[in-house]
Amino acid sequence: MKLLIVESPAKAKKIQSLLGRGWTVRACLGHVRDPPARKEDLPEKHRNLPWARLGVNVEENYAPLYVIREGKHKTIQELKAAAKGAQQVLLASDPDREGESIAWHLAVLLGLGKEAQRVTYQEITESALRQAVAHPRPIDYYLVGAQETRRVLDRLAG
């Protein structure tokens, strides 16, 4: 069984019907990690650090601190279970920098590492999907960096 992770449950249902047997298609429901929104969201080891409320370590090259978004723990557990039993995991979030970032966060949380495979497509048709899954690519870390930079600037400048 191969696992394809998309953002939307509606897309997952449609894609599952097009790919058929041998595939499991699941939705991550958008972003799964973000800088913490509240002090309570901070990991215990960071709570008393002066930069922690920002979610950006201004003392270490503006490194963002990520936590699993509220309400996403169950989704992550379900995706981990599905990934554990899969021959191959493909990340098919939207084909933009936000989608690339979501794919990277999923790769981190699911333990896929640098070998994580990314799939993009421009239309939800059987031929486009078959072409996409036949030619996965690595995550584009330049796009991930662009998204991280935007998030850090949002935190610092509002």
Side-chain angles (χ1 to χ4, degrees):
M1 185 262 318
K2 295 179 182 182
L3 174 63
L4 184 71
I5 302 174
V6 299
E7 289 184 49
S8 140
K11 276 186 193 175
K13 187 176 180 180
K14 175 71 173 171
I15 292 170
Q16 179 70 65
S17 73
L18 293 171
L19 290 178
R21 293 175 52 124
W23 286 92
T24 299
V25 184
R26 296 285 182 260
C28 68
L29 307 168
H31 286 281
V32 292
R33 291 196 313 172
D34 269 327
R38 307 171 311 200
K39 185 176 182 175
E40 300 80 37
D41 296 335
L42 288 166
E44 190 65 42
K45 69 180 184 178
H46 296 292
R47 284 201 178 145
N48 294 321
L49 297 173
W51 56 265
R53 292 282 312 263
L54 276 175
V56 177
N57 187 343
V58 296
E59 298 168 0
E60 291 292 328
N61 204 24
Y62 297 92
L65 170 67
Y66 291 112
V67 297
I68 296 174
R69 287 180 113 176
E70 188 174 342
K72 293 290 183 149
H73 290 278
K74 182 180 178 191
T75 300
I76 295 303
Q77 287 175 337
E78 291 169 355
L79 291 173
K80 279 183 180 180
K84 192 173 187 176
Q87 301 170 270
Q88 181 180 30
V89 178
L90 299 173
L91 305 170
S93 45
D94 291 349
D96 55 14
R97 75 173 185 222
E98 294 274 339
E100 208 71 24
S101 179
I102 290 168
W104 173 67
H105 285 290
L106 285 167
V108 170
L109 292 171
L110 300 178
L112 303 177
K114 294 272 186 187
E115 295 78 40
Q117 295 186 305
R118 182 89 164 92
V119 170
T120 57
Y121 48 86
Q122 299 302 318
E123 58 185 28
I124 301 177
T125 63
E126 185 173 357
S127 61
L129 291 166
R130 296 245 178 244
Q131 178 73 7
V133 299
H135 299 95
R137 63 167 174 79
I139 291 173
D140 182 337
Y141 290 99
Y142 290 113
L143 286 176
V144 173
Q147 176 59 18
E148 270 194 318
T149 300
R150 188 196 66 78
R151 283 221 173 131
V152 167
L153 286 172
D154 283 352
R155 280 300 173 102
L156 295 177

